[in-house]
Amino acid sequence: GDAAQGPWYFRRSELTVAPKLLDEPLIPQPEQPGAAGPRTGMLVLRVFVAAGGAVDRVEVASSSLPAVYDAAASAAFARLRFSPGEIEGVAVNSEARFEIVFDGGETDGSQATDRAGIRSH
């Protein structure tokens, strides 16, 4: 059979309560040797959250950026904790999507501008 598929993850539309981030995702601008400064672009992550709130895995759904950005975002989200998604008050495995926008504008050395913009959807 397809037992190899692993656990089932419910999508947002099937959940009574969406999974919520408990941690602040900090995604550093990746260092790109030889590249002309930070890039601007967007990527979408699919984050698979277990019923216990841990991240089981992260997949890149789409990206307009080099692979190092996908890897940096995936690594950042893999370490985060969530309050799990629920259906009728029962915690379940769920899938969350996050749109991550890198704004490659010149930074003035302040770390605050080095954040990626993150939207859940």
Side-chain angles (χ1 to χ4, degrees):
D2 358 86
Q5 283 297 301
W8 172 260
Y9 295 86
F10 292 95
R11 288 203 279 290
R12 174 65 193 102
S13 56
E14 302 168 292
L15 299 170
T16 316
V17 176
K20 284 190 199 59
L21 267 175
L22 298 176
D23 297 324
E24 178 73 29
L26 294 178
I27 304 169
Q29 283 275 6
E31 293 294 317
Q32 289 183 273
R39 299 286 192 86
T40 301
M42 189 184 85
L43 61 98
V44 177
L45 290 182
R46 299 173 67 193
V47 181
F48 295 91
V49 181
V55 174
D56 277 347
R57 70 178 197 276
V58 180
E59 289 177 5
V60 177
S62 64
S63 176
S64 64
L65 288 156
V68 286
Y69 284 80
D70 302 345
S74 298
F77 271 84
R79 289 193 298 268
L80 300 177
R81 290 166 306 132
F82 284 80
S83 61
E86 296 179 9
I87 296 177
E88 306 293 342
V90 178
V92 294
N93 293 333
S94 60
E95 176 191 330
R97 279 179 179 249
F98 292 91
E99 198 175 274
I100 295 147
V101 178
F102 283 94
D103 176 2
E106 288 307 305
T107 58
D108 52 6
S110 95
Q111 287 304 301
T113 54
D114 207 20
R115 299 274 170 83
I118 296 165
R119 284 207 299 278
S120 165
H121 58 161

Tab-separated table of all heavy atoms in Angstrom, residues 7 11 37 44 67 115:
chain	number	residue	atom	x	y	z
A	7	PRO	N	2.694	10.258	7.507
A	7	PRO	CA	1.462	10.797	8.081
A	7	PRO	C	0.765	11.757	7.138
A	7	PRO	O	1.376	12.327	6.251
A	7	PRO	CB	1.937	11.523	9.350
A	7	PRO	CG	3.382	11.786	9.141
A	7	PRO	CD	3.889	10.731	8.210
A	11	ARG	N	-4.727	20.520	5.486
A	11	ARG	CA	-4.512	21.878	4.991
A	11	ARG	C	-5.338	22.869	5.794
A	11	ARG	O	-6.282	22.504	6.490
A	11	ARG	CB	-4.882	21.958	3.506
A	11	ARG	CG	-3.856	21.247	2.639
A	11	ARG	CD	-3.886	21.772	1.234
A	11	ARG	NE	-4.957	21.191	0.434
A	11	ARG	CZ	-4.979	19.932	0.025
A	11	ARG	NH1	-4.009	19.105	0.375
A	11	ARG	NH2	-5.963	19.493	-0.709
A	37	GLY	N	25.792	41.579	-4.008
A	37	GLY	CA	24.908	42.006	-2.930
A	37	GLY	C	23.668	41.141	-2.784
A	37	GLY	O	23.456	40.209	-3.556
A	44	VAL	N	8.042	30.608	-1.253
A	44	VAL	CA	6.921	30.094	-0.469
A	44	VAL	C	7.335	28.754	0.111
A	44	VAL	O	7.801	27.863	-0.615
A	44	VAL	CB	5.650	29.923	-1.336
A	44	VAL	CG1	4.513	29.307	-0.512
A	44	VAL	CG2	5.221	31.258	-1.925
A	67	ALA	N	19.233	29.007	-4.620
A	67	ALA	CA	18.995	27.907	-3.682
A	67	ALA	C	19.479	28.204	-2.266
A	67	ALA	O	18.912	27.694	-1.304
A	67	ALA	CB	19.650	26.629	-4.206
A	115	ARG	N	15.891	41.630	8.100
A	115	ARG	CA	14.861	40.609	8.263
A	115	ARG	C	14.152	40.353	6.948
A	115	ARG	O	13.919	41.269	6.186
A	115	ARG	CB	13.796	41.108	9.254
A	115	ARG	CG	14.324	41.384	10.623
A	115	ARG	CD	14.318	40.102	11.453
A	115	ARG	NE	15.054	40.322	12.692
A	115	ARG	CZ	14.534	40.880	13.761
A	115	ARG	NH1	13.300	41.336	13.748
A	115	ARG	NH2	15.270	41.018	14.850
